[in-house]
Amino acid sequence: MLASGFSSTPITKSLILSLISTSLVASIADLKHLLPIRPTPHLYPYLQFWRLCTWQVAYTSSTDLLFATLLLYQFRVLERLWGSRKFASFLCVSAIWTGLLAPALLSTVVRPVSWGRWNYLPGGMTGVVFAALAVWGEEVPRLYRYKIVTGSPDPRSGSNDTPGVILSDKTTTYVMAAQLALSQFPYSLLAASVGWIVGMAWGGDLLPGRMNAWRIPRWLLGDFGAKSAAERERYEGLRRRLEEEGGRSDGMRATGVDGMIDAVDGEARR
């Protein structure tokens, strides 16, 4: 039986609760103005470089917070596949890269090109969420597709095919991600784009210094790598389910299924 809810996902649970808590505290304590970054004047001439470390800790918009938490909950499957240690390491690396790259690009490229009009970076973990989205899109295969009928068959064409839009089980996730990226248009696009690039670089082993191979020390997280007999059985059940879905699903990417099975096998042996 597959795990549901926050079962076997302590990092995802802690991250979502922390993000909600910090956003509420920022709103109640009237600290929202300390979260966004404006290169001018925050970074220069005020030299408030501490904002580079804090702008991702909370959201200033309840709508952004809602979609970010829904997406993070959706991506909890990555923690089950990778294990808590690897997933936490991925989040840390993504937060560091997006936390530094987005403000740097805004200050040195985007703001000068826009003649100073684009001088704002909203607070929140949008970059980290999109990094996870990029990896989730590659690691998790499509399970099924469905069609939304938009009309009737054309008798003159001699075909019985009903016109419509073909979607998949992953479509709603991408719709929520688009809403998050466009929520504070155009300013939120930068963090989303940088996060997507970081996630693709992680998946393609393109980060400098092989940072995708770095892992948080076990003593910092606790020994989440030691699986009980029940957890091993859960991973084994997930592996069998993926094999069955890979054989039945129309158009499913075999390479994606194989990658997930290998990841599950690795976690079960660990």
Side-chain angles (χ1 to χ4, degrees), residues 39 106 110-111 114-120 186-190:
L106 178 61
V110 178
R111 185 177 180 276
S114 64
W115 298 96
R117 296 180 181 178
W118 195 328
N119 187 45
Y120 182 76
Y187 307 112
S188 53
L189 283 176
L190 179 60

Side-chain angles (χ1 to χ4, degrees), residues 6-261:
F6 286 113
S7 177
S8 301
T9 58
I11 301 301
T12 302
K13 180 179 179 180
S14 300
L15 178 62
I16 291 178
L17 292 178
S18 299
L19 186 60
I20 294 175
S21 300
T22 53
S23 299
L24 288 176
V25 169
S27 178
I28 295 174
D30 196 19
L31 301 175
K32 289 184 177 181
H33 62 283
L34 299 177
L35 296 174
I37 293 181
R38 297 181 184 273
T40 302
H42 291 159
L43 302 183
Y44 183 82
Y46 292 167
L47 302 181
Q48 296 178 352
F49 295 115
W50 52 267
R51 289 180 180 266
L52 299 176
C53 301
T54 60
W55 71 276
Q56 296 188 101
V57 300
Y59 279 99
T60 58
S61 168
S62 58
T63 302
D64 294 352
L65 177 62
L66 172 63
F67 284 105
T69 53
L70 288 176
L71 288 169
L72 289 173
Y73 181 78
Q74 181 74 17
F75 301 151
R76 72 195 186 283
V77 65
L78 292 175
E79 183 174 359
R80 293 193 181 120
L81 292 175
W82 290 349
S84 297
R85 187 186 180 200
K86 180 177 179 180
F87 185 67
S89 304
F90 165 75
L91 293 176
C92 288
V93 171
S94 300
I96 292 172
W97 277 100
T98 56
L100 297 178
L101 273 181
L105 288 175
L106 178 61
S107 303
T108 60
V109 178
V110 178
R111 185 177 180 276
V113 170
S114 64
W115 298 96
R117 296 180 181 178
W118 195 328
N119 187 45
Y120 182 76
L121 187 63
M125 295 185 64
T126 301
V128 177
V129 171
F130 271 80
L133 175 67
V135 177
W136 175 84
E138 293 295 326
E139 293 283 339
V140 180
R142 181 180 63 242
L143 295 180
Y144 60 85
R145 294 186 297 178
Y146 58 93
K147 177 187 286 188
I148 298 179
V149 177
T150 58
S152 302
D154 187 358
R156 295 173 298 179
S157 65
S159 174
N160 293 326
D161 291 339
T162 304
V165 180
I166 298 177
L167 304 174
S168 74
D169 60 301
K170 302 175 76 172
T171 300
T172 53
T173 300
Y174 288 115
V175 170
M176 288 191 294
Q179 173 65 36
L180 180 61
L182 300 175
S183 60
Q184 299 190 49
F185 182 84
Y187 307 112
S188 53
L189 283 176
L190 179 60
S193 301
V194 171
W196 180 272
I197 293 173
V198 170
M200 295 299 292
W202 167 281
D205 195 11
L206 299 176
L207 293 176
R210 289 184 52 82
M211 294 188 67
N212 62 314
W214 174 79
R215 296 293 180 267
I216 289 179
R218 290 185 182 274
W219 60 265
L220 191 60
L221 295 176
D223 193 11
F224 291 127
K227 306 297 182 182
S228 64
E231 288 174 325
R232 287 195 183 95
E233 179 61 28
R234 187 180 300 120
Y235 279 113
E236 181 64 21
L238 177 58
R239 185 189 66 82
R240 291 194 296 267
R241 171 69 179 275
L242 290 173
E243 288 177 337
E244 294 172 1
E245 294 292 348
R248 292 199 306 263
S249 298
D250 175 37
M252 181 180 292
R253 297 173 298 175
T255 55
V257 176
D258 292 341
M260 292 181 68
I261 293 173

